[in-house]
Amino acid sequence: MRKLLVTVLLSFAFSSAAFAEKEFLDHTNLMNHGDGHLMDMDGGMVMGQNTDVLPGGCDKIAAEEEITVYAGHKYSEKFPGRMFAFDKQEYQFEPCTKLTVNFINEDSIRHQWMMHGLPKYMYPKGMFHLEVTGPGKISGTLIFPPNDKTYLVHCDISQHMEKGMKAQLKIGKGSGDLPSIPGVTAYVIQDDYSDSIPEPAVAKPLTAKEKRAAAAATAAENESAVSGILIIGLAVGLILAPLLASRFKGMATGEIVSYVFEIIAKAIGLIIKLITGLISMVSSKKSIKLSDK
Ligand SMILES: [Cu+2]
Protein backbone atom coordinates (compact mmCIF):
# COMPACT_ATOMS: atom_id res chain seq x y z
CA MET A 1 0.00 0.00 0.00
CA ARG A 2 2.82 2.42 0.98
CA LYS A 3 4.73 1.56 -2.20
CA LEU A 4 1.69 2.40 -4.26
CA LEU A 5 1.27 5.74 -2.52
CA VAL A 6 4.93 6.70 -3.14
CA THR A 7 4.67 5.74 -6.80
CA VAL A 8 1.51 7.80 -7.26
CA LEU A 9 3.02 10.83 -5.52
CA LEU A 10 6.26 10.63 -7.52
CA SER A 11 4.51 10.28 -10.86
CA PHE A 12 2.30 13.24 -9.98
CA ALA A 13 5.31 15.38 -9.03
CA PHE A 14 7.20 14.66 -12.24
CA SER A 15 4.23 15.27 -14.47
CA SER A 16 3.34 18.58 -12.78
CA ALA A 17 3.95 21.93 -14.42
CA ALA A 18 7.11 22.61 -12.43
CA PHE A 19 8.95 19.72 -14.10
CA ALA A 20 7.37 19.86 -17.53
CA GLU A 21 9.11 21.61 -20.43
CA LYS A 22 7.36 24.89 -21.19
CA GLU A 23 4.90 24.31 -23.96
CA PHE A 24 5.30 26.16 -27.27
CA LEU A 25 2.29 28.44 -27.76
CA ASP A 26 1.00 29.68 -31.09
CA HIS A 27 -0.66 32.99 -30.21
CA THR A 28 -3.34 33.13 -32.89
CA ASN A 29 -6.41 33.77 -30.77
CA LEU A 30 -5.87 37.42 -29.88
CA MET A 31 -8.42 39.93 -28.67
CA ASN A 32 -8.52 43.11 -30.77
CA HIS A 33 -8.44 46.18 -28.51
CA GLY A 34 -8.55 48.64 -31.41
CA ASP A 35 -5.82 50.97 -32.76
CA GLY A 36 -3.79 47.96 -33.88
CA HIS A 37 -3.49 46.61 -30.35
CA LEU A 38 -4.09 42.87 -29.94
CA MET A 39 -3.55 40.70 -26.88
CA ASP A 40 -4.22 37.35 -25.30
CA MET A 41 -4.08 36.11 -21.73
CA ASP A 42 -0.96 33.99 -22.34
CA GLY A 43 1.58 36.79 -22.75
CA GLY A 44 1.08 37.45 -26.45
CA MET A 45 0.79 41.04 -27.70
CA VAL A 46 0.81 43.03 -30.94
CA MET A 47 0.92 46.83 -30.99
CA GLY A 48 0.88 49.17 -33.98
CA GLN A 49 -0.62 46.58 -36.32
CA ASN A 50 -1.53 48.15 -39.68
CA THR A 51 -2.70 45.96 -42.53
CA ASP A 52 -4.45 48.48 -44.78
CA VAL A 53 -3.72 52.19 -44.09
CA LEU A 54 -1.20 53.69 -46.55
CA PRO A 55 1.32 56.05 -44.93
CA GLY A 56 1.44 59.56 -46.41
CA GLY A 57 3.63 59.68 -49.51
CA CYS A 58 2.93 56.09 -50.56
CA ASP A 59 0.79 55.79 -53.72
CA LYS A 60 0.37 52.06 -53.22
CA ILE A 61 1.80 49.11 -51.35
CA ALA A 62 5.12 48.63 -53.17
CA ALA A 63 5.69 45.02 -52.12
CA GLU A 64 4.34 42.39 -49.73
CA GLU A 65 6.97 40.59 -47.68
CA GLU A 66 7.00 38.10 -44.82
CA ILE A 67 9.85 37.29 -42.45
CA THR A 68 10.32 34.99 -39.47
CA VAL A 69 12.34 36.41 -36.59
CA TYR A 70 13.78 34.05 -33.96
CA ALA A 71 14.63 35.38 -30.51
CA GLY A 72 16.58 33.57 -27.84
CA HIS A 73 19.69 33.09 -25.77
CA LYS A 74 21.23 30.64 -28.22
CA TYR A 75 21.48 33.30 -30.98
CA SER A 76 23.77 35.39 -28.75
CA GLU A 77 26.39 32.67 -28.37
CA LYS A 78 28.42 33.95 -31.33
CA PHE A 79 28.63 37.42 -29.72
CA PRO A 80 31.03 37.27 -26.72
CA GLY A 81 29.60 38.90 -23.60
CA ARG A 82 26.01 39.04 -24.93
CA MET A 83 23.14 37.09 -23.40
CA PHE A 84 20.20 37.50 -25.81
CA ALA A 85 19.88 38.08 -29.55
CA PHE A 86 17.65 37.83 -32.60
CA ASP A 87 18.74 35.37 -35.31
CA LYS A 88 19.43 38.35 -37.61
CA GLN A 89 20.76 41.81 -36.76
CA GLU A 90 19.96 43.65 -39.98
CA TYR A 91 16.92 43.89 -42.26
CA GLN A 92 16.30 45.89 -45.42
CA PHE A 93 13.05 46.61 -47.25
CA GLU A 94 11.82 48.92 -50.00
CA PRO A 95 9.76 51.99 -49.05
CA CYS A 96 5.98 51.43 -48.74
CA THR A 97 6.47 47.68 -48.20
CA LYS A 98 3.77 45.78 -46.33
CA LEU A 99 5.63 43.46 -43.97
CA THR A 100 4.32 40.55 -41.92
CA VAL A 101 6.63 39.50 -39.09
CA ASN A 102 6.34 36.05 -37.53
CA PHE A 103 8.08 36.40 -34.18
CA ILE A 104 9.26 33.20 -32.48
CA ASN A 105 10.50 33.28 -28.90
CA GLU A 106 12.62 30.25 -28.05
CA ASP A 107 13.36 31.17 -24.42
CA SER A 108 11.21 30.51 -21.35
CA ILE A 109 11.12 34.25 -20.63
CA ARG A 110 9.55 37.33 -22.21
CA HIS A 111 10.97 38.76 -25.45
CA GLN A 112 9.91 41.47 -27.85
CA TRP A 113 10.57 42.66 -31.38
CA MET A 114 9.95 46.37 -31.08
CA MET A 115 10.44 48.96 -33.82
CA HIS A 116 10.79 52.66 -33.02
CA GLY A 117 10.62 55.89 -35.03
CA LEU A 118 7.56 55.15 -37.21
CA PRO A 119 5.25 58.10 -38.03
CA LYS A 120 3.22 58.83 -34.91
CA TYR A 121 0.12 59.93 -36.81
CA MET A 122 -0.56 56.30 -37.67
CA TYR A 123 1.56 54.24 -35.24
CA PRO A 124 0.86 54.94 -31.52
CA LYS A 125 4.09 56.24 -29.95
CA GLY A 126 5.80 55.57 -33.30
CA MET A 127 6.00 51.89 -32.43
CA PHE A 128 5.35 48.51 -33.96
CA HIS A 129 5.65 45.84 -31.33
CA LEU A 130 5.44 42.06 -31.03
CA GLU A 131 5.74 40.30 -27.70
CA VAL A 132 5.70 36.70 -26.50
CA THR A 133 6.17 35.44 -22.95
CA GLY A 134 7.75 31.99 -22.97
CA PRO A 135 8.27 29.78 -26.00
CA GLY A 136 5.79 30.72 -28.68
CA LYS A 137 4.94 32.47 -31.89
CA ILE A 138 3.05 35.65 -32.70
CA SER A 139 2.54 37.50 -35.99
CA GLY A 140 1.88 41.12 -36.88
CA THR A 141 1.75 43.30 -39.98
CA LEU A 142 2.71 46.89 -40.75
CA ILE A 143 3.23 49.17 -43.75
CA PHE A 144 6.45 51.19 -43.99
CA PRO A 145 6.53 54.90 -44.82
CA PRO A 146 8.16 56.10 -48.08
CA ASN A 147 11.37 57.71 -46.79
CA ASP A 148 14.86 56.22 -46.50
CA LYS A 149 15.42 55.63 -42.82
CA THR A 150 17.18 53.29 -40.38
CA TYR A 151 14.91 52.02 -37.62
CA LEU A 152 15.94 50.58 -34.27
CA VAL A 153 14.52 47.13 -33.52
CA HIS A 154 15.03 45.76 -30.03
CA CYS A 155 13.66 43.89 -27.03
CA ASP A 156 12.63 46.45 -24.42
CA ILE A 157 12.67 44.09 -21.43
CA SER A 158 15.12 45.50 -18.91
CA GLN A 159 18.74 44.89 -20.05
CA HIS A 160 17.82 42.64 -23.00
CA MET A 161 18.90 45.23 -25.59
CA GLU A 162 22.11 46.00 -23.70
CA LYS A 163 22.75 42.27 -23.55
CA GLY A 164 22.46 41.93 -27.33
CA MET A 165 18.81 41.77 -28.41
CA LYS A 166 19.09 44.62 -30.88
CA ALA A 167 18.97 45.05 -34.65
CA GLN A 168 18.55 47.70 -37.32
CA LEU A 169 15.99 47.82 -40.11
CA LYS A 170 16.72 49.93 -43.18
CA ILE A 171 14.04 51.28 -45.47
CA GLY A 172 15.46 52.10 -48.89
CA LYS A 173 19.05 53.25 -48.39
CA GLY A 174 18.46 53.81 -44.69
CA SER A 175 19.84 56.80 -42.78
CA GLY A 176 23.16 55.43 -41.54
CA ASP A 177 24.04 52.72 -39.05
CA LEU A 178 23.09 52.47 -35.39
CA PRO A 179 25.79 51.83 -32.77
CA SER A 180 26.27 48.57 -30.82
CA ILE A 181 24.39 46.30 -33.25
CA PRO A 182 26.02 42.90 -32.50
CA GLY A 183 28.18 41.77 -35.41
CA VAL A 184 27.22 44.80 -37.52
CA THR A 185 28.54 47.97 -35.86
CA ALA A 186 31.09 48.66 -33.10
CA TYR A 187 30.00 48.55 -29.48
CA VAL A 188 29.88 51.93 -27.75
CA ILE A 189 31.32 50.23 -24.66
CA GLN A 190 33.80 47.59 -25.78
CA ASP A 191 34.31 44.68 -23.39
CA ASP A 192 37.86 43.46 -22.90
CA TYR A 193 38.29 39.67 -23.02
CA SER A 194 42.09 39.71 -23.20
CA ASP A 195 43.96 38.10 -20.31
CA SER A 196 46.14 41.17 -19.72
CA ILE A 197 43.86 42.70 -17.11
CA PRO A 198 46.08 43.95 -14.25
CA GLU A 199 45.77 42.47 -10.77
CA PRO A 200 43.66 44.68 -8.54
CA ALA A 201 45.76 46.59 -5.97
CA VAL A 202 45.34 45.16 -2.45
CA ALA A 203 45.59 47.58 0.48
CA LYS A 204 48.38 46.61 2.93
CA PRO A 205 46.96 45.79 6.40
CA LEU A 206 47.98 48.22 9.16
CA THR A 207 50.34 47.07 11.92
CA ALA A 208 49.14 47.22 15.54
CA LYS A 209 51.31 50.29 16.17
CA GLU A 210 49.88 52.14 13.14
CA LYS A 211 46.34 51.26 14.23
CA ARG A 212 46.93 52.71 17.72
CA ALA A 213 48.40 55.90 16.27
CA ALA A 214 45.41 56.33 13.93
CA ALA A 215 42.91 55.76 16.77
CA ALA A 216 44.71 58.29 18.98
CA ALA A 217 44.70 60.90 16.18
CA THR A 218 40.93 60.43 15.63
CA ALA A 219 40.23 60.72 19.36
CA ALA A 220 42.29 63.93 19.65
CA GLU A 221 40.48 65.38 16.65
CA ASN A 222 37.05 64.64 18.16
CA GLU A 223 38.08 66.10 21.49
CA SER A 224 39.32 69.34 19.99
CA ALA A 225 36.11 69.71 17.96
CA VAL A 226 33.97 69.25 21.09
CA SER A 227 35.98 71.73 23.17
CA GLY A 228 35.90 74.25 20.30
CA ILE A 229 32.11 74.16 20.13
CA LEU A 230 31.95 74.36 23.95
CA ILE A 231 34.12 77.51 24.01
CA ILE A 232 32.02 79.23 21.31
CA GLY A 233 28.81 78.36 23.22
CA LEU A 234 30.18 79.71 26.48
CA ALA A 235 31.36 82.95 24.84
CA VAL A 236 27.99 83.56 23.18
CA GLY A 237 26.23 82.84 26.49
CA LEU A 238 28.47 85.23 28.42
CA ILE A 239 27.93 88.06 25.91
CA LEU A 240 24.16 87.55 25.61
CA ALA A 241 23.38 87.02 29.32
CA PRO A 242 23.80 90.65 30.51
CA LEU A 243 22.14 92.00 27.37
CA LEU A 244 19.10 89.78 27.84
CA ALA A 245 18.98 90.49 31.58
CA SER A 246 18.68 94.24 31.00
CA ARG A 247 16.20 93.67 28.20
CA PHE A 248 13.91 91.48 30.31
CA LYS A 249 13.90 93.84 33.31
CA GLY A 250 10.33 94.71 34.20
CA MET A 251 8.82 92.31 31.58
CA ALA A 252 6.11 89.77 32.48
CA THR A 253 6.98 86.06 32.02
CA GLY A 254 4.60 85.79 29.05
CA GLU A 255 6.29 88.70 27.32
CA ILE A 256 9.75 87.19 27.86
CA VAL A 257 8.64 83.84 26.40
CA SER A 258 7.12 85.41 23.28
CA TYR A 259 10.22 87.59 22.82
CA VAL A 260 12.53 84.56 23.04
CA PHE A 261 10.40 82.66 20.50
CA GLU A 262 10.55 85.61 18.13
CA ILE A 263 14.35 85.65 18.31
CA ILE A 264 14.53 81.90 17.71
CA ALA A 265 12.23 82.17 14.66
CA LYS A 266 14.37 84.99 13.23
CA ALA A 267 17.56 82.98 13.79
CA ILE A 268 16.11 79.90 12.04
CA GLY A 269 15.00 82.04 9.08
CA LEU A 270 18.50 83.50 8.81
CA ILE A 271 20.15 80.05 8.91
CA ILE A 272 17.81 78.69 6.19
CA LYS A 273 18.60 81.71 3.99
CA LEU A 274 22.32 81.14 4.51
CA ILE A 275 22.09 77.43 3.62
CA THR A 276 19.99 77.99 0.47
CA GLY A 277 22.45 80.69 -0.58
CA LEU A 278 25.36 78.32 -0.14
CA ILE A 279 23.59 75.50 -2.03
CA SER A 280 22.74 77.70 -5.01
CA MET A 281 26.35 78.98 -5.06
CA VAL A 282 27.75 75.44 -5.13
CA SER A 283 25.26 74.12 -7.71
CA SER A 284 25.72 77.11 -10.04
CA LYS A 285 29.47 76.49 -10.00
CA LYS A 286 28.88 72.84 -10.99
CA SER A 287 26.59 73.66 -13.89
CA ILE A 288 29.22 75.88 -15.48
CA LYS A 289 31.68 72.98 -15.59
CA LEU A 290 29.52 70.68 -17.77
CA SER A 291 31.15 70.21 -21.16
CA ASP A 292 29.08 70.09 -24.33
CA LYS A 293 29.29 66.72 -26.04
CU1 LIG B 1 13.96 40.04 -24.44
Side-chain angles (χ1 to χ4, degrees):
M1 184 61 199
R2 185 174 281 181
K3 249 185 193 168
L4 184 75
L5 192 70
V6 169
T7 318
V8 167
L9 278 175
L10 274 178
S11 63
F12 177 75
F14 280 101
S15 65
S16 72
F19 290 92
E21 270 278 293
K22 281 231 162 132
E23 216 183 308
F24 186 92
L25 272 177
D26 199 353
H27 299 263
T28 49
N29 196 11
L30 300 160
M31 181 180 169
N32 194 335
H33 293 259
D35 281 339
H37 184 196
L38 301 99
M39 262 178 111
D40 66 14
M41 293 293 282
D42 302 306
M45 176 152 69
V46 180
M47 279 167 79
Q49 164 123 303
N50 171 28
T51 55
D52 51 7
V53 181
L54 269 181
C58 293
D59 305 326
K60 60 178 172 58
I61 287 169
E64 289 202 31
E65 304 251 15
E66 186 165 349
I67 57 169
T68 299
V69 173
Y70 297 87
H73 169 69
K74 78 173 189 202
Y75 299 104
S76 72
E77 279 166 10
K78 58 177 183 270
F79 305 123
R82 306 296 118 166
M83 272 303 287
F84 303 114
F86 299 124
D87 62 321
K88 277 179 77 178
Q89 281 64 44
E90 208 168 14
Y91 312 91
Q92 198 273 328
F93 299 99
E94 288 315 303
C96 304
T97 293
K98 177 176 174 176
L99 176 72
T100 294
V101 181
N102 305 304
F103 180 54
I104 294 176
N105 179 4
E106 297 187 359
D107 288 343
S108 291
I109 53 168
R110 193 168 149 204
H111 283 312
Q112 305 166 331
W113 195 83
M114 185 189 272
M115 256 188 87
H116 287 276
L118 291 159
K120 286 184 180 161
Y121 66 85
M122 56 188 311
Y123 293 95
K125 304 211 170 186
M127 270 169 38
F128 172 75
H129 170 84
L130 300 173
E131 175 173 322
V132 180
T133 299
K137 177 190 171 190
I138 200 160
S139 301
T141 301
L142 80 161
I143 303 171
F144 291 122
N147 30 343
D148 290 348
K149 186 172 172 175
T150 305
Y151 293 88
L152 167 70
V153 184
H154 73 138
C155 175
D156 197 35
I157 304 299
S158 182
Q159 288 292 318
H160 286 200
M161 174 171 77
E162 290 77 2
K163 290 191 162 108
M165 203 166 262
K166 188 177 182 185
Q168 62 182 12
L169 189 152
K170 286 181 177 176
I171 294 299
K173 296 187 192 84
S175 54
D177 288 314
L178 299 173
S180 302
I181 305 290
V184 178
T185 56
Y187 292 126
V188 173
I189 299 167
Q190 185 62 54
D191 294 336
D192 184 0
Y193 294 102
S194 62
D195 51 6
S196 59
I197 297 164
E199 288 276 314
V202 179
K204 233 173 47 185
L206 293 175
T207 63
K209 199 177 169 189
E210 281 170 331
K211 268 185 203 164
R212 252 177 287 146
T218 320
E221 221 168 75
N222 286 346
E223 220 166 78
S224 69
V226 166
S227 58
I229 289 165
L230 198 73
I231 287 165
I232 292 169
L234 279 173
V236 169
L238 279 173
I239 293 163
L240 282 184
L243 280 175
L244 289 176
S246 64
R247 186 98 178 107
F248 292 152
K249 214 174 245 176
M251 277 167 100
T253 323
E255 277 178 312
I256 294 171
V257 169
S258 68
Y259 180 75
V260 168
F261 271 114
E262 208 177 288
I263 289 177
I264 291 171
K266 267 187 192 160
I268 289 172
L270 214 83
I271 289 166
I272 288 173
K273 237 187 198 171
L274 208 82
I275 290 171
T276 30
L278 278 173
I279 288 171
S280 68
M281 243 172 77
V282 170
S283 54
S284 71
K285 257 183 201 163
K286 261 184 195 160
S287 63
I288 292 164
K289 265 283 166 197
L290 277 179
S291 65
D292 48 328
K293 208 180 117 184

